[in-house]
Amino acid sequence: LKPFWAKLRVVWRAMVVDSHKGEDLSALQRRGKEIARSLCEEVLTPEFFQKHWEKVPLHHRAAEHGRGANALPEELTAADISLLIRRSGSNLKIFRRGESYSLDNFLIGYLDGASIIINQADRCNALLFGLCRELAERYFLHVFAVAYLTPRGSHAVRLHNDDQDVILMQVVGRKHWTIRRTQQHLPYTEEMLGKDTPVPEELIGEVVMEFDMEPHDVLYIPRGYLHEAA
């Protein structure tokens, strides 16, 4: 059986200003837990698990449902993002339009259209740690965060699918998403598509959703669905 877990993605398209200076880590963790509880109340409901979990994607639009499901845009600041990058170490990856970006200076890479990706971002940020911990305790046993910082007019990775269920929370800016069916259902790690090479044409299914993600939006993608963002 597949482990019952989820990957949380936190998505930026630009930087914001402010800081959490003066707040202790326990307070930030508590605030992260509060954000998780709001997400559960607004999105991860019994209806969600009945209709969507490991079945079909869900785009929860703030413009339609309000901002309560995703409070991260008010909480994550430019100072937080800068500190997150500095603390990320080997978890920081750089991609541009589907390919790994080899330039050592990630700031120059970002200006050149490359996306900054921070794996296990919850290990570097107390707010995200509290958010992931609360979700894990409620539903998923294990939750980790991946943060994406993508410059305007670019994208990080090509069309692909994942071996985890993904919950995306848009923080700043806008991303255009396309989600497609595939012949694979609930793939294991070795069965993922689009990671090292493009997805074979015969395995690319029909488009099931195409839309823009705005700040405060939430997106759920069951593992196995092909997806790409620009």
Side-chain angles (χ1 to χ4, degrees):
L1 297 176
K2 280 291 292 184
F4 191 53
W5 68 337
K7 173 166 65 175
L8 176 75
R9 291 184 182 176
V10 182
V11 186
W12 293 282
R13 286 293 294 228
M15 297 290 251
V16 292
V17 292
D18 201 353
S19 79
H20 282 304
K21 251 184 199 179
E23 291 193 54
D24 60 39
L25 295 181
S26 61
L28 290 174
Q29 289 180 23
R30 287 195 298 271
R31 179 57 183 143
K33 288 176 175 285
E34 292 172 0
I35 293 172
R37 287 192 286 269
S38 296
L39 175 64
C40 293
E41 291 169 2
E42 297 280 344
V43 179
L44 305 182
T45 63
E47 181 181 11
F48 165 82
F49 285 102
Q50 181 181 11
K51 294 183 177 180
H52 293 277
W53 179 255
E54 296 192 336
K55 297 182 182 73
V56 294
L58 172 67
H59 178 204
H60 185 91
R61 297 175 176 84
E64 180 180 351
H65 301 285
R67 297 182 172 185
N70 176 8
L72 284 179
E74 285 85 17
E75 301 294 336
L76 286 170
T77 70
D80 298 324
I81 298 168
S82 176
L83 184 59
L84 184 63
I85 292 172
R86 293 202 304 271
R87 288 177 171 173
S88 60
S90 61
N91 285 329
L92 188 147
K93 309 296 180 185
I94 307 176
F95 280 82
R96 185 177 65 176
R97 298 180 179 88
E99 301 293 338
S100 179
Y101 193 86
S102 60
L103 190 66
D104 290 335
N105 190 321
F106 65 87
L107 293 176
I108 294 177
Y110 181 82
L111 294 175
D112 193 35
S115 295
I116 298 171
I117 303 172
I118 303 170
N119 293 317
Q120 297 176 320
D122 49 296
R123 296 186 178 186
C124 308
N125 180 277
L127 186 81
L128 295 178
F129 177 85
L131 170 59
C132 291
R133 184 67 179 269
E134 181 71 15
L135 291 176
E137 291 174 351
R138 279 178 174 252
Y139 296 124
F140 304 116
L141 300 182
H142 175 60
V143 177
F144 62 96
V146 180
Y148 288 74
L149 179 62
T150 299
R152 184 185 300 273
S154 186
H155 65 276
V157 294
R158 63 170 71 90
L159 181 71
H160 70 283
N161 64 8
D162 292 298
D163 61 348
Q164 308 107 3
D165 296 89
V166 177
I167 300 168
L168 296 107
M169 303 175 74
Q170 187 77 19
V171 178
V172 175
R174 176 184 299 173
K175 271 195 171 183
H176 184 79
W177 283 87
T178 304
I179 302 177
R180 295 176 176 270
R181 296 190 189 279
T182 181
Q183 298 177 23
Q184 291 180 312
H185 181 63
L186 306 181
Y188 286 89
T189 301
E190 64 273 13
E191 298 172 323
M192 289 190 296
L193 298 171
K195 296 295 185 176
D196 298 319
T197 59
V199 180
E201 288 290 334
E202 64 272 16
L203 297 181
I204 299 177
E206 64 181 354
V207 174
V208 296
M209 297 178 71
E210 189 169 7
F211 55 88
D212 289 336
M213 283 275 285
E214 306 275 358
H216 298 281
D217 282 8
V218 177
L219 172 62
Y220 166 69
I221 306 176
R223 64 179 183 266
Y225 272 82
L226 294 166
H227 53 276
E228 59 184 339

